[in-house]
Amino acid sequence: MASFTAAETERQWDYELLSDGAVTGFRSEEMLDHVIAELTKLGYGIAEVTGGTGATMLLELLEPIPAHYDYAVGNLGATMGALRHLDLSGRTGWALVIRRFDETFAADPEWARGLCDVVTRASYEHLLMGDRFLMLVQSPVELPIGVLGGEKPTWFTGRP
């Protein structure tokens, strides 16, 4: 099963986002809201939190997404295991949304970068199975997340 048809590559927000990497940043909440609305129209499930860090935030973020088994997210290795076993069937895809990611980043930059990295790896693995999985982060300032999966994340700064 292909992740995208040829027609979808020409007209869909999710293809544009995933072709630039699994993690996309937004400085404008208005632009983020617009992209979330477009993904919802495409049949995406949206799992969203505001700020936070660590296992508590991750459990809250992943709660709406069905999983193949009960998982723990005590560290980033366990988080990768949890992300691998999410049940993404029944929807076009899933988007993790973290608003005020600057707060998450300020609390623990290494952990925040690591989270973006494991989401990038999990997204790639899901795409290999024909499933779509991505993360949208919002911060009023562009954050130095670094390179994820060989790509520097895109930061949208304007309005829709």
Side-chain angles (χ1 to χ4, degrees), residues 76 101 105 108-118 144-146 148:
L76 290 173
F101 192 67
F105 192 86
D108 189 341
E110 187 176 334
W111 184 87
R113 282 187 199 102
L115 176 61
C116 292
D117 192 50
V118 297
I145 294 173
L148 307 170

Side-chain angles (χ1 to χ4, degrees), residues 20 27 33 44 57 60 65 67 96 119-120 128-129 150 155 160:
D20 288 338
R27 290 184 53 199
D33 291 339
Y44 268 72
M57 184 268 281
E60 181 183 341
I65 307 173
L96 303 179
V119 167
T120 298
L128 289 173
M129 302 303 292
W155 280 87

Side-chain angles (χ1 to χ4, degrees), residues 1-12 14-15 132:
M1 169 184 196
S3 291
F4 290 91
T5 65
E8 288 173 327
T9 65
E10 297 297 320
R11 62 174 170 32
Q12 289 201 194
D14 55 346
Y15 179 78
R132 303 172 194 181

